[in-house]
Amino acid sequence: MKELYRQLGIRPEVYAYGEKVLAGLRPRFDAIDATAEYNQAKVLAAFQKNRVDASCFAATTGYGYNDVGREKLEQVYADVFHTEAALVRPQITCGTHALTVALSANLLPGDELLSPVGLPYDTLQEVIGLRPSPCSLAEYGVTYRQVDLKSDGTFDYDAIRAAIGPKTKLITIQRSKGYATRPTFSVEQIGELIAFCKSVKSDVICMVDNCYGEFVEREEPSDVGADMVVGSLIKNPGGGLAPIGGYICGTKTCVDRCAYRLSAPGLGQEVGANLGLMSALFQGFFLAPTVTAGALKGAVFAANLYEPLGFPCVPNAAEDRHDIIQAVELGSREAMVAFCKGIQCAAPVDSYVTPEPWAMPGYDDDVIMAAGAFVQGSSIELSADGPIREPYAIYFQGGLTWYHAKTGILMSLEKMVEAGLAVLPAAL
Ligand SMILES: *Cc1c(COP(=O)(O)O)cnc(C)c1O
């Protein structure tokens, strides 16, 4: 094994350090496997209940009326998320698009949007209009309020109560930390926050940006009161096989409006050909619980590998996980580049290219991204990215298999050691 890893470019000392770290992680990995088993059974039951069969995989084109596969896929999603309805479409181009549809469908001019968990994910800032952009919610007369988290990362309930007013129509809760160094929220915490918001205003719509959180726990935010949960199919629920897409699961009222916004008033969910993508979307969703588990093991491994070397990790090495993202504060641009080089050269696709920081649409700072993915930009596949700004944190996620995640993380450390930016412990 050591020799094989050496051939891949990982020196024996890095491999040995990795094995030492892994030896202590057995109970953590067993718990991850138990969650995967639970979620696998949940997904399987939804497939069987909906009598998924080969007719679901047939391609449709044109308007896509009476698309059996599409309708069953949406029912399967609704059953897994325990919601009345679901909109799962290749026509939803990405997570930002899914969130934009959910927000713009359910907010009208004069309404107010509230984020009680601080600044939303970078790309949503233009959607809301925090950074001016054509067609932002602000341009359509939707106002925005924000309550920051308290300095210890908890919800500021007094400020949230004060911020909910007559205009407050929709509350957006981002589960994952995104490119911030705050904690990711557990489903239980999200449930408490939703219950509090609804106790202040019973008819307020609570939407959860569920990106990277799907199948990490046994429950989803829709099990604890969310009216809509929203995410991307090139993250967890696509299982690495979905080549595109997004989902919105929630109440029939909310999801209907999303469908009218996505296609057109009067058409709604009735149109949208599947273009032959159904088998990938079904099969990806079927694999998603185990793929997510592999990614989760990678995140736990990375934190336990890097933290003892002096790099602060969020979540830290011991903490419970509520998403698949691992932030590692590397402290410099050079270290971010070295880390990403390692992830990139461990990839099955594009292993020979070198990642460089670059200006990306939707992001304020230069961003570095490492990914050698079958689906371009897929971040359920092994990938690392981060904006080049203090504290120079790299956000690491994915891995279609745990073993590939392991290889990539070891390779990132190899590149850091090679560049003199990390020092292995003296005694192995
Ligand atoms: C990835 C992500 C998004 C946006 O998804 P894209 O598919 O990149 O547009 C939104 N919110 C969070 C928390 C995310 O992680």
Side-chain angles (χ1 to χ4, degrees):
M1 197 70 97
K2 201 178 277 185
E3 178 54 24
L4 257 174
Y5 276 107
R6 204 189 55 75
Q7 285 170 21
L8 285 168
I10 295 160
R11 74 186 68 192
E13 293 80 7
V14 168
Y15 173 74
Y17 173 52
E19 290 308 292
K20 194 178 159 199
V21 167
L22 265 180
L25 293 178
R26 278 296 135 215
R28 302 281 302 277
F29 280 26
D30 286 347
I32 291 170
D33 285 335
T35 300
E37 186 174 355
Y38 182 94
N39 286 324
Q40 183 70 80
K42 186 161 70 168
V43 171
L44 178 61
F47 272 62
Q48 293 176 352
K49 178 186 163 206
N50 289 288
R51 304 172 69 92
V52 174
D53 61 22
S55 70
C56 297
F57 309 144
T60 59
T61 55
Y63 294 109
Y65 293 132
N66 305 313
D67 187 325
V68 176
R70 184 190 69 210
E71 284 166 10
K72 281 203 178 172
L73 180 70
E74 290 180 335
Q75 195 52 53
V76 166
Y77 263 73
D79 286 341
V80 166
F81 285 93
H82 301 126
T83 57
E84 291 171 1
L87 186 67
V88 186
R89 301 287 168 124
Q91 285 81 12
I92 300 178
T93 55
C94 60
T96 304
H97 187 195
L99 289 157
T100 302
V101 168
L103 291 170
S104 52
N106 288 285
L107 287 159
L108 294 175
D111 288 340
E112 190 156 87
L113 169 67
L114 170 68
S115 170
V117 295
L119 195 62
Y121 189 74
D122 293 57
T123 58
L124 282 184
Q125 295 169 20
E126 274 157 316
V127 174
I128 295 167
L130 295 173
R131 277 180 282 139
S133 169
C135 299
S136 68
L137 290 170
E139 238 192 27
Y140 284 96
V142 174
T143 55
Y144 172 75
R145 273 181 91 147
Q146 177 177 313
V147 174
D148 288 332
L149 296 170
K150 293 205 279 193
S151 54
D152 63 357
T154 59
F155 306 128
D156 190 343
Y157 283 117
D158 290 337
I160 295 169
R161 187 188 292 106
I164 298 176
K167 287 172 62 181
T168 313
K169 177 73 174 298
L170 195 152
I171 292 180
T172 180
I173 300 166
Q174 184 179 308
R175 176 173 177 179
S176 175
K177 63 179 126 1
Y179 288 136
T181 41
R182 57 117 161 136
T184 288
F185 306 124
S186 67
V187 171
E188 190 184 352
Q189 285 173 306
I190 290 171
E192 285 163 12
L193 178 57
I194 292 173
F196 177 81
C197 293
K198 296 218 171 198
S199 77
V200 178
K201 189 171 188 182
S202 62
D203 62 348
V204 76
I205 298 169
C206 292
M207 180 191 88
V208 175
D209 174 351
N210 207 25
C211 281
Y212 291 127
E214 300 91 350
F215 298 126
V216 171
E217 298 184 40
R218 294 177 190 213
E219 289 196 310
E220 298 292 339
S222 43
D223 291 312
V224 294
D227 299 289
M228 285 188 285
V229 287
V230 184
S232 163
L233 299 197
I234 62 168
K235 294 178 181 172
N236 309 15
L241 294 185
I244 190 170
Y247 77 89
I248 302 167
C249 296
T251 64
K252 184 157 172 13
T253 314
C254 286
V255 172
D256 275 352
R257 291 193 67 90
C258 294
Y260 291 127
R261 180 78 286 160
L262 178 66
S263 62
L267 302 183
Q269 224 155 344
E270 304 298 322
V271 293
N274 73 51
L275 305 173
L277 296 175
M278 280 300 119
S279 65
L281 268 52
F282 273 108
Q283 196 174 353
F285 196 51
F286 181 68
L287 292 176
T290 48
V291 171
T292 301
L296 216 44
K297 288 177 184 174
V300 171
F301 179 54
N304 283 272
L305 196 77
Y306 276 98
E307 201 175 73
L309 302 182
F311 299 100
C313 291
V314 182
N316 70 33
E319 264 174 275
D320 273 348
R321 304 280 149 162
H322 309 295
D323 66 10
I324 63 166
I325 312 289
Q326 182 61 54
V328 184
E329 291 178 17
L330 295 172
S332 71
R333 179 189 176 100
E334 295 68 38
M336 288 179 78
V337 172
F339 186 104
C340 286
K341 270 188 188 166
I343 297 295
Q344 188 72 41
C345 75
V349 180
D350 292 334
S351 60
Y352 57 85
V353 306
T354 306
E356 300 280 357
W358 206 256
M360 298 252 313
Y363 298 88
D364 237 4
D365 304 277
D366 276 2
V367 175
I368 186 162
M369 295 199 165
F374 294 95
V375 172
Q376 284 179 37
S378 165
S379 46
I380 186 59
E381 297 188 53
L382 187 67
S383 48
D385 46 64
I388 306 284
R389 67 183 179 217
E390 290 279 355
Y392 299 100
I394 199 78
Y395 296 78
F396 164 91
Q397 68 268 315
L400 292 182
T401 71
W402 145 241
Y403 301 109
H404 181 232
K406 174 182 174 181
T407 306
I409 294 157
L410 289 175
M411 189 63 93
S412 72
L413 181 56
E414 171 68 35
K415 294 293 176 195
M416 296 265 291
V417 170
E418 228 169 80
L421 297 161
V423 181
L424 295 173
L428 284 176

